[in-house]
Amino acid sequence: MKIFEKLNIFYAVLMVMALAFFVACSSCSNSSSDADTDAELEETTSDDLVMDVDPSLFLTDSGAVTVTLVPCTLSDGTEGDCYQIVTTSTPADHTMGPWCPDNIADGAEAGGIWLENGEVYDVDGAFIQNMATFYNDENWMMYDENGDIYTTETEDDCANAANPNVGEEYANFCVECLPSYVTDMSNTYTIPVTPVKLASPLSFGGFGPPGASSAPSNRGLAFNGVVFDAPAPTDAILGAYTLAPFDDAGGHINLNAGYHYHAATGVSKQVAQTDNHAAQIGYAMDGFAMYAQLDADGNEPTDLDECRGHTDSIRGYHYHVAAPGSNSFIDCLSGAYAE
């Protein structure tokens, strides 16, 4: 009997151990499941904040800009909604010009600006007078014996002097295309309501995924409907011994695109931020917001990516434009564009 009692005690101990093991394993299983759930939750909630385009920021009261919601397909195949923005490229928030001064005695208020080697220069009379020294080229002589500056005066002059194959008859002319030449201009741009960030950035003027159309060359839109354009071909302009200044807002006119910007100088509408962040100046063609280069303290972000974008907890991913003298805004698109 003692042997049987010992065996019963042994089996009882084994059962208790087995039960403890079962409970422990169940607890392990539940812990694993909880961990997986936590991981999934973390993966879902750790996505970067994405801000929709705010159409109310565009200056539509003047009628120069209209914003319409339309269905669209993006370059990565995403289907959704876009804003179709039709604009006369006429800014409602500032005047256009002047561009070329009349005489070498004129001050900065009589002319626009020029962008060279990252710097912004006033195109005043003294700038025109000293171009031979500035460019170390004695062929520059844009004024007559009275100091009057040679300037294009007609729409035909504008068309001919702004042509890549400009003739020698326009050498040493200041090219000034006027708003009256493009009064019937209308341009249409389409940007995603909700930006879609790509796995890798897209170069301007390149190509999207297989089957997609060519990427836009335009960088974005200011709130007044004026496009932030590709860099101006300053080498070609100077190579023809012409000068096509920008006005103080960084814009000038050609007969194909109308009025457009090549620099963000702080003249067009800006939306101030409450946390000292740089002001918003518009939207890129992928729908991500564009902000000025510098914050309220005059500092530029130090963590910008190759497109000049970064992310924060208030604005999500967004861009900061380059310095006005750079003849540039952003360097690539981080998001999909509307086809």
Side-chain angles (χ1 to χ4, degrees):
M1 291 294 295
K2 290 182 180 180
I3 294 176
F4 289 111
E5 289 177 357
K6 291 180 178 179
L7 287 174
N8 287 336
I9 293 171
F10 176 73
Y11 288 133
V13 170
L14 286 178
M15 290 179 65
V16 170
M17 293 176 62
L19 180 60
F21 178 77
F22 174 77
V23 171
C25 287
S26 297
S27 175
C28 289
S29 176
N30 289 338
S31 297
S32 176
S33 177
D34 289 343
D36 290 343
T37 301
D38 290 343
E40 291 174 2
L41 182 61
E42 181 179 358
E43 182 179 351
T44 301
T45 58
S46 65
D47 290 342
D48 290 337
L49 173 68
V50 177
M51 301 294 290
D52 284 355
V53 171
D54 183 354
S56 70
L57 296 179
F58 287 93
L59 300 176
T60 58
D61 289 347
S62 70
V65 181
T66 61
V67 182
T68 307
L69 187 67
V70 297
C72 62
T73 302
L74 303 187
S75 57
D76 69 339
T78 299
E79 295 185 355
D81 291 325
C82 286
Y83 288 119
Q84 185 179 79
I85 301 169
V86 180
T87 171
T88 63
S89 300
T90 302
D93 50 350
H94 68 83
T95 58
M96 294 175 280
W99 290 279
C100 299
D102 294 324
N103 189 279
I104 59 173
D106 288 343
E109 73 283 353
I113 59 175
W114 186 245
L115 315 175
E116 187 69 41
N117 293 326
E119 300 293 331
V120 177
Y121 295 90
D122 285 322
V123 180
D124 53 14
F127 182 87
I128 299 293
Q129 184 178 18
N130 294 314
M131 286 191 71
T133 301
F134 187 79
Y135 285 111
N136 193 28
D137 186 343
E138 62 183 11
N139 290 312
W140 285 104
M141 178 58 69
M142 298 185 68
Y143 57 94
D144 63 19
E145 64 276 9
N146 298 316
D148 293 326
I149 296 167
Y150 304 123
T151 304
T152 55
E153 296 181 350
T154 67
E155 185 173 341
D156 284 342
D157 285 341
C158 166
N160 294 329
N163 191 309
N165 299 317
V166 56
E168 292 183 1
E169 65 271 22
Y170 289 102
N172 276 303
F173 265 73
C174 190
V175 181
E176 186 174 69
C177 298
L178 302 178
S180 59
Y181 303 161
V182 290
T183 54
D184 296 328
M185 179 68 63
S186 177
N187 291 311
T188 301
Y189 306 97
T190 306
I191 59 176
V193 170
T194 302
V196 176
K197 201 164 187 292
L198 300 172
S200 57
L202 182 65
S203 298
F204 289 110
F207 293 89
S213 60
S214 176
S217 61
N218 299 322
R219 276 47 177 164
L221 283 176
F223 295 128
N224 57 19
V226 176
V227 70
F228 296 125
D229 213 345
T234 53
D235 288 345
I237 294 169
L238 296 172
Y241 289 101
T242 59
L243 189 72
F246 316 98
D247 62 16
D248 287 346
H252 63 184
I253 291 172
N254 70 43
L255 300 181
N256 295 318
Y259 182 75
H260 55 282
Y261 293 130
H262 289 290
T265 63
V267 173
S268 64
K269 175 183 175 179
Q270 300 189 80
V271 178
Q273 307 294 292
T274 59
D275 60 347
N276 216 40
H277 188 275
Q280 187 180 355
I281 62 172
Y283 286 101
M285 299 311 295
D286 58 9
F288 285 116
M290 297 175 70
Y291 290 80
Q293 177 197 9
L294 306 177
D295 65 20
D297 293 327
N299 298 317
E300 182 176 21
T302 58
D303 60 344
L304 299 179
D305 61 24
E306 60 193 299
C307 295
R308 295 193 58 83
H310 69 166
T311 300
D312 67 31
S313 61
I314 297 176
R315 286 153 287 265
Y317 184 83
H318 60 279
Y319 301 105
H320 286 264
V321 296
S326 66
N327 186 22
S328 179
F329 295 103
I330 58 177
D331 297 331
C332 49
L333 283 182
S334 291
Y337 60 90
E339 294 185 319

